[in-house]
Amino acid sequence: MKTARWLLAICLISAVGCSPTIQKSILPVSKEVTCIEGIAGKDTKYLAWGIGPDNATAEEDALKASLYAALVGGAAGENCVALLNANERETNKEYLNSLFSDESTWRSYVRATNPGKMDADKRMKMYDGRIKLGVEVVVATKELREMLEAKAIIKKFQYGR
Amino acid sequence: MKADFVESAPYKWAINTCGRYLLLLAVLVFGVCRGYSTGTVVYSPTGKSMQMLGSPATEEGSKVSSILAGAVAGAGLGAAAGTVFPVIGTAVGAGVGTVIFGTISAFKSYASPDSSRANASSGVRGASISTGSPNPKLESGKFDRRSITIIPAFYNNGNQERTTLLQAISNTPAEARYDINVISPSALEQASKALSVNPSTMKNDSLLIASIRSSGVMREIMISAGNGDSIAARLSRQRRKKDVSGASDQKISNPSADQYFTMLNGTYIVVVSLDSIKTSNATEFYGTAAVVRFTVNLDNWVNEGDISYPNPKDVVLTVIDKKNIKATATSSSDLAANSTTSLSNATGGLTGKQPIGKPEEPVNVKASKYLVKKTFDYLSSLDDFKIRAVFQNDDNGFQAGLREGVYMDMGFKVYETMLDPQGKPYSQYIGFGLVNSIGDNAADYDNLSSVYPKIGSFGQGMTAVAHEQGIEIGVTPTYCDGYYLVGLEANFNLAKYTNVRQLFVSAGYIYALEAGGAEVLSIGVNKRFDLGRLSLYTGADYWVKTNIGLNVGIDYLMSPDLSAGVRAGYRLGIISNGPTFGLRVGYALPRLF
């Protein structure tokens, strides 16, 4: 009986040890984004609600969410158009994952208008303890488009497309 | 003191002592019971709201405060009254104590912002523009800057007081937590003359509102508060500017719809009615202040050439609070008895001492200035005007400071916005802190003030809401040199004036429970050191014509206003020398000045 218990314990430990490492979520947790306005034809401002265990992670999630909205759409509001169409979205899922896994790359296309600043109406603690944070994010959509075009993810922007 | 005590026969002593202790116990129990019921009844609007919002901490805190406040007041006043009529006095004192605190609590709940802020936002007819605030009635919600217009109104008084009061209003610096709507002095004077109110009008909300509407001042305020120039007027100015100065031709940014909404719905009229003036040794102005809030419909605008503004006819006026205000000034240029130092601080010139060679201000000018100052003090006590600021870092730094009138040891309750499983936001009470550094945000907007967390721990993104405290009253049962004493003390925090935290002056009354009931007055000074919820107490006091004492102790903050602790010390003097041991229960009253 004792041996069986030991064997069971060893099996459990081995199973946990051999399981794949739990990775940090690559894609944004939150998809709650509102498009506010386009800025001078090259940037787009979003209000994105990020979710995370703390303020910093929630802000990071908001940055990701706005970038994700700029790429694949889904933002509320009427002013913004996604860079990828439905077909490009389906065929480039792997690329999107790789983009969001490279922090320095995706961060180069987004910036918070007031990084680290808290607004009373834009920070809430959810019932599960996570923080929901509203952040105004400017996405460099023109640069992003040029990068996607260079990588042949999307076709070159031209009249009639 | 010992020499004053009269020795009694043993049985008398026993009856005296036991009787009084039983009486004290009864008073405490009575106070607790009354306090409990007071807390439940008086706080029910706020408490119910908090309960709905799921904030047990707040509700409990309020209840505990009320319960123990009742006990403290009951015991304290009972002990005081008991010196004259030991039995009846204590019982009556307990009742009076609870009534007093009930009244204070009732006043606080009357000024509750919850319903008013909700109306301000949701009551706007046809307003399709969001304030950007998901739920403005939250305690942890956004602080929208207010703007006010003070209009003096007169009843049976001549033009002289009108002039001085108008000047006092015009010269009031907009340093605090609200903007002053800059309407022209002539428009203000015209409104003052047109505002036909008398004491009975001031009591009747609908009559007061009708009077404001007929005065014509709303148009001026709408234009001022919303800065309602039309785009055409702005572009016209811009063109002129470009022609004459070669300045940038970039568009002058117009206020956004959200900003319009916030500015116009954060607009208030404060009618200060000067009801009577008495002149004897001093000049006394007796007035009433009524605070009226605007709720603006942005769908109906009036266009007057280049100027457009929301139609005043569609503006909903609501009287949110009223208070009697008295201002006294003497001809000896001494306002200290009435205004204390805060007056000189706030108005920057009313020090009470005139420079040599400068003529003294007439008393009615002083009284007018003081009336305006008291009006501002009154406004700052209303929940609509309380400072609300968000912690911007994890070091308890929040974005409010000198500009908003933050001062050392100013109390702040801290809340956090929570989302329930249905996604509905509510405010959760987190704790209480005292300001330990003041940010000079007049010099740099990003300079933060910070609080020392007395109850709970705070974090970035939580909201601090001003909870100003005034005199702290306390009951101090003490054993000294073989005698049992009960003291009633009042502590006044000097931090606001000295910038030294937790520095108090105290005055008290001490009553010997035994042997004839000797009485003595005391004065003292004490300094407290924060240790989280605990405070290390050190103090010295003087029992008049009796002895001096040094005391140390520890206090525990049970709620933002209620503390309890122990004391030990040593007294040295003419009589009653030796060590002392005691208990203390204290309650901080709301700030009155």
Side-chain angles (χ1 to χ4, degrees):
Chain A
M1 191 66 183
K2 222 173 197 179
T3 316
R5 279 184 190 164
W6 273 108
L7 279 172
L8 185 65
I10 289 165
C11 286
L12 280 173
I13 291 166
S14 307
V16 170
C18 297
S19 64
T21 311
I22 298 167
Q23 288 190 341
K24 189 183 166 186
S25 169
I26 296 171
L27 294 176
V29 176
S30 168
K31 304 286 191 300
E32 192 177 341
V33 181
T34 305
C35 178
I36 300 175
E37 60 183 353
I39 305 170
K42 56 179 185 178
D43 295 337
T44 309
K45 189 195 274 186
Y46 295 91
L47 170 62
W49 292 87
I51 294 173
D54 52 47
N55 293 327
T57 315
E59 185 176 280
E60 183 183 309
D61 192 56
L63 294 174
K64 279 184 175 180
S66 55
L67 181 63
Y68 190 82
L71 288 166
V72 306
E78 299 168 355
N79 303 324
C80 306
V81 179
L83 293 171
L84 278 67
N85 61 30
N87 186 37
E88 290 163 344
R89 216 176 298 159
E90 282 302 312
T91 53
N92 292 290
K93 279 184 176 172
E94 283 303 313
Y95 172 73
L96 288 177
N97 280 335
S98 66
L99 174 68
F100 280 103
S101 62
D102 183 357
E103 187 170 342
S104 63
T105 303
W106 70 257
R107 271 189 184 273
S108 66
Y109 297 103
V110 289
R111 63 183 165 84
T113 55
N114 277 311
K117 286 282 170 68
M118 294 290 134
D119 187 332
D121 291 338
K122 294 199 178 82
R123 182 200 179 270
M124 294 154 201
K125 186 180 257 188
M126 299 165 75
Y127 64 97
D128 59 4
R130 291 182 300 167
I131 303 295
K132 183 176 179 182
L133 194 70
V135 183
E136 282 193 357
V137 183
V138 174
V139 180
T141 36
K142 190 182 172 201
E143 279 181 43
L144 195 58
R145 169 183 289 280
E146 287 167 357
M147 184 271 288
L148 293 171
E149 286 172 350
K151 289 184 182 295
I153 305 290
I154 61 173
K155 291 175 184 169
K156 286 241 182 210
F157 183 74
Q158 56 188 0
Y159 292 109
R161 187 195 174 201
Chain B
M1 182 190 253
K2 189 176 180 181
D4 295 337
F5 292 171
V6 180
E7 295 293 333
S8 308
Y11 70 92
K12 282 185 180 173
W13 179 88
I15 290 169
N16 230 357
T17 307
C18 295
R20 284 170 193 270
Y21 277 127
L22 284 172
L23 207 56
L24 186 62
L25 186 66
V27 166
L28 279 167
V29 170
F30 183 71
V32 165
C33 295
R34 293 290 300 140
Y36 183 86
S37 67
T38 305
T40 309
V41 173
V42 171
Y43 269 77
S44 57
T46 313
K48 189 178 174 187
S49 149
M50 284 297 172
Q51 193 175 20
M52 282 165 56
L53 295 172
S55 176
T58 307
E59 191 187 13
E60 196 172 326
S62 301
K63 195 183 285 181
V64 167
S65 296
S66 295
I67 291 167
L68 288 161
V72 171
L77 292 174
T83 57
V84 185
F85 303 107
V87 177
I88 300 169
T90 33
V92 170
V96 170
T98 49
V99 167
I100 287 172
F101 278 85
T103 310
I104 291 166
S105 305
F107 177 77
K108 284 170 75 175
S109 79
Y110 176 57
S112 171
D114 288 0
S115 56
S116 58
R117 268 202 293 278
N119 293 339
S121 165
S122 60
V124 180
R125 283 175 288 147
S128 54
I129 298 163
S130 159
T131 58
S133 170
N135 195 341
K137 69 182 177 183
L138 293 178
E139 278 291 358
S140 52
K142 190 175 183 179
F143 172 70
D144 290 326
R145 197 168 175 84
R146 314 299 192 190
S147 64
I148 60 170
T149 307
I150 298 182
I151 305 175
F154 295 86
Y155 179 65
N156 280 348
N157 292 297
N159 282 328
Q160 191 182 357
E161 280 72 27
R162 188 189 308 279
T163 307
T164 57
L165 203 48
L166 282 168
Q167 281 175 349
I169 289 166
S170 300
N171 294 332
T172 301
E175 45 80 27
R177 60 205 73 173
Y178 15 64
D179 299 315
I180 308 261
N181 281 322
V182 187
I183 66 173
S184 68
S186 61
L188 191 63
E189 186 173 358
Q190 193 181 342
S192 171
K193 286 176 178 171
L195 208 59
S196 56
V197 297
N198 56 42
S200 62
T201 314
M202 291 295 283
K203 284 176 188 165
N204 186 320
D205 290 359
S206 52
L207 286 177
L208 178 61
I209 287 169
S211 183
I212 291 172
R213 284 192 183 281
S214 62
S215 72
V217 73
M218 289 174 66
R219 173 188 174 276
E220 307 297 326
I221 292 171
M222 286 286 88
I223 292 171
S224 169
N227 194 16
D229 288 358
S230 69
I231 295 171
R234 285 172 176 242
L235 291 176
S236 169
R237 277 207 306 275
Q238 185 184 326
R239 276 195 295 274
R240 283 200 301 274
K241 189 178 175 187
K242 189 181 172 186
D243 291 343
V244 297
S245 68
S248 164
D249 62 353
Q250 281 203 330
K251 274 188 180 178
I252 297 171
S253 62
N254 295 302
S256 67
D258 276 6
Q259 285 169 322
Y260 261 121
F261 189 91
T262 303
M263 283 188 286
L264 292 167
N265 280 300
T267 304
Y268 293 76
I269 286 181
V270 183
V271 177
V272 181
S273 146
L274 190 53
D275 303 329
S276 65
I277 298 175
K278 288 182 183 171
T279 49
S280 51
N281 294 331
T283 296
E284 295 175 335
F285 281 12
Y286 291 88
T288 310
V291 185
V292 181
R293 186 184 50 229
F294 282 46
T295 306
V296 175
N297 181 359
L298 294 183
D299 289 345
N300 185 7
W301 289 70
V302 175
N303 296 307
E304 289 179 6
D306 285 346
I307 297 173
S308 41
Y309 54 91
N311 193 336
K313 285 181 184 172
D314 286 348
V315 174
V316 177
L317 297 180
T318 313
V319 179
I320 60 165
D321 203 67
K322 291 177 195 168
K323 190 185 181 187
N324 293 329
I325 293 177
K326 177 189 167 192
T328 309
T330 61
S331 59
S332 59
S333 69
D334 181 13
L335 291 175
N338 306 298
S339 60
T340 70
T341 320
S342 62
L343 180 61
S344 58
N345 282 348
T347 55
L350 284 174
T351 56
K353 293 179 181 175
Q354 298 294 328
I356 295 168
K358 189 175 178 181
E360 187 184 342
E361 284 182 319
V363 282
N364 62 339
V365 173
K366 288 182 191 172
S368 294
K369 287 182 177 177
Y370 186 38
L371 194 71
V372 174
K373 172 67 178 63
K374 288 198 86 170
T375 303
F376 274 93
D377 284 350
Y378 157 58
L379 286 177
S380 66
S381 71
L382 295 180
D383 281 335
D384 276 36
F385 297 94
K386 273 184 179 174
I387 297 172
R388 284 180 164 73
V390 179
F391 288 115
Q392 295 296 336
N393 55 36
D394 285 330
D395 299 326
N396 307 322
F398 61 90
Q399 209 154 22
L402 284 182
R403 273 161 49 99
E404 290 79 16
V406 171
Y407 55 86
M408 199 64 87
D409 271 353
M410 186 178 185
F412 278 89
K413 281 184 176 177
V414 177
Y415 297 87
E416 185 168 29
T417 307
M418 310 288 287
L419 284 178
D420 66 14
Q422 284 74 43
K424 187 182 172 189
Y426 64 93
S427 283
Q428 173 82 52
Y429 171 69
I430 301 297
F432 173 75
L434 296 169
V435 169
N436 62 357
S437 105
I438 304 167
D440 183 2
N441 57 356
D444 182 350
Y445 186 71
D446 287 331
N447 282 340
L448 304 177
S449 302
S450 67
V451 296
Y452 179 88
K454 290 294 293 178
I455 298 174
S457 61
F458 315 142
Q460 187 188 34
M462 294 178 185
T463 303
V465 182
H467 177 77
E468 296 185 72
Q469 295 173 316
I471 289 173
E472 180 199 49
I473 58 165
V475 178
T476 55
T478 306
Y479 172 84
C480 174
D481 195 19
Y483 296 103
Y484 293 97
L485 316 167
V486 170
L488 190 63
E489 66 176 25
N491 286 281
F492 183 74
N493 194 337
L494 296 175
K496 183 177 179 181
Y497 313 103
T498 61
N499 267 359
V500 178
R501 290 207 56 225
Q502 295 287 290
L503 179 65
F504 293 81
V505 288
S506 65
Y509 165 86
I510 295 143
Y511 172 76
L513 287 174
E514 302 159 6
E519 301 166 11
V520 65
L521 297 176
S522 74
I523 52 172
V525 60
N526 61 76
K527 171 90 173 90
R528 303 170 197 180
F529 300 91
D530 291 321
L531 298 164
R533 273 198 180 219
L534 296 173
S535 290
L536 182 63
Y537 172 100
T538 58
D541 59 359
Y542 170 62
W543 291 2
V544 176
K545 295 181 180 175
T546 307
N547 56 31
I548 57 169
L550 293 174
N551 304 296
V552 293
I554 288 180
D555 289 326
Y556 180 79
L557 197 63
M558 302 169 78
S559 79
D561 300 320
L562 185 72
S563 60
V566 293
R567 295 278 185 278
Y570 195 87
R571 306 208 67 82
L572 192 64
I574 306 165
I575 45 180
S576 253
N577 300 328
T580 62
F581 305 96
L583 304 172
R584 179 183 168 281
V585 179
Y587 186 82
L589 299 172
R591 187 171 82 97
L592 299 176
F593 53 87

